[in-house]
Amino acid sequence: MESTANADLTDLWDRVFGTQAAPEQWLVIAAGVVALAVVVPHALWRLSRNAITIAHEGGHGLVALLTGRRLDGIRLHSDTSGLTVSRGKPTGLGMILTAAAGYTAPPLLGLGGAALLDSGRITAFLWIATALLVVMLVMIRNAYGALTVVLTGGTFLVVSWLANTDVQAAFAYAVVWFLLLGGVRPAFELQSKRRRGGAGDSDADQLSRLTHVPAGMWLFLFHAVSLCSLMGGGRWLLDV
C-alpha cells in the first residue's frame, strides 16, 4: 500500500511539474486573439477587468507580506476597483514597493507565466495560479470579492484537473496573453483619468507623495513594465 501511495504521489508530481509538448502555433495565436477580443471592446473589458483587479490587488498584498507589513484584508468591488489594506510603517521602502506592485503585478505575472509556458510547464502554471488564488481568498473581506476569486480559482482547478492537454494549453495561453495584454490598458486608463483631473489618490499619486518623484514618472514606470512584459512575454509565447 505504501508503494502504491508513493507511486500516486510520483504520478501527481510528474503531472503537475512535468513538461508538456508545446501546442501548435495556430492555437497560440488564436489564444492571443481571444485575449485581445476581451481586452479591447469596452463592454467585455468591464467584465474581464475583474481578473486584472484580482492580480492588481494580489500584487499589493503579496509585496506587503514580503516586505514585512501586516496584511489586514483585500476587497474587490463590482466596478472593478479594489482595496488592499496593510499595516506597518507609513513610509519607507516597504510601503513604496507595496504601492508600486499593483499596476505592475498583472504584466509581470503574465511574463512569469510566459516563461513557464515557454519551458513546457503548462499544468504547473495552472496549479501555481490556483494556489495563489486560494491564498488570496483567505484575505478577501467582502462577498463580491470572495465570489470573484472562487469562480476564477474554480475555473483554473477544473481545467487543470479534468481537461485534456489541448484544452489546458489553450486555456493557459489565453490566460497569459490576457495578463500581458490586459496589463497594458489600466495604466493608460489611469493616465486618462489624471488628465481629466480624476484619480487624485491613485497608486501613482501615493507613490509621488512617498518618494517626492512626480506621479508622471511612476506612470511612465507602469507603462514601461507593462509594455516590456508584453514584448518579452509575446516573444516567448510565439517562440520567436
Side-chain angles (χ1 to χ4, degrees), residues 22-147:
E24 297 290 338
Q25 190 77 345
W26 69 265
L27 188 147
V28 176
I29 295 173
V33 171
V34 170
L36 192 63
V38 299
V39 169
V40 174
H42 181 69
L44 290 177
W45 174 243
R46 288 184 62 187
L47 178 62
S48 64
R49 198 183 193 283
N50 284 285
I52 295 296
T53 303
I54 290 175
H56 179 115
E57 300 302 332
H60 283 313
L62 177 61
V63 174
L65 291 174
L66 291 176
T67 56
R69 299 180 63 80
R70 177 181 174 182
L71 184 59
D72 283 349
I74 299 172
R75 291 178 176 271
L76 306 174
H77 305 132
S78 59
D79 63 355
T80 73
S81 66
L83 176 65
T84 299
V85 179
S86 63
R87 294 184 185 179
K89 188 178 178 182
T91 59
L93 183 60
M95 188 62 199
I96 293 170
L97 293 175
T98 298
Y103 280 93
T104 56
L108 289 177
L109 286 172
L111 184 64
L116 284 173
L117 298 187
D118 183 59
S119 64
R121 289 174 169 80
I122 296 172
T123 304
F125 165 74
L126 296 174
W127 277 82
I128 290 171
T130 304
L132 289 173
L133 287 165
V134 170
V135 172
M136 185 174 178
L137 180 61
V138 176
M139 299 309 302
I140 295 294
R141 295 293 182 264
N142 66 322
Y144 181 83
L147 177 62

Side-chain angles (χ1 to χ4, degrees), residues 15 126-127 129-130 133-134 150-163 168 171:
R15 178 178 179 180
L126 296 174
W127 277 82
T130 304
L133 287 165
V134 170
V150 166
L151 290 176
T152 305
T155 302
F156 273 90
L157 184 61
V158 168
V159 171
S160 61
W161 191 256
L162 299 178
Q168 285 189 6
F171 180 75

Side-chain angles (χ1 to χ4, degrees), residues 95 99 200-211 215 218:
M95 188 62 199
D201 198 36
S202 69
D203 291 354
D205 293 282
Q206 292 181 41
L207 285 163
S208 179
R209 291 192 291 270
L210 287 167
T211 62
W218 289 105

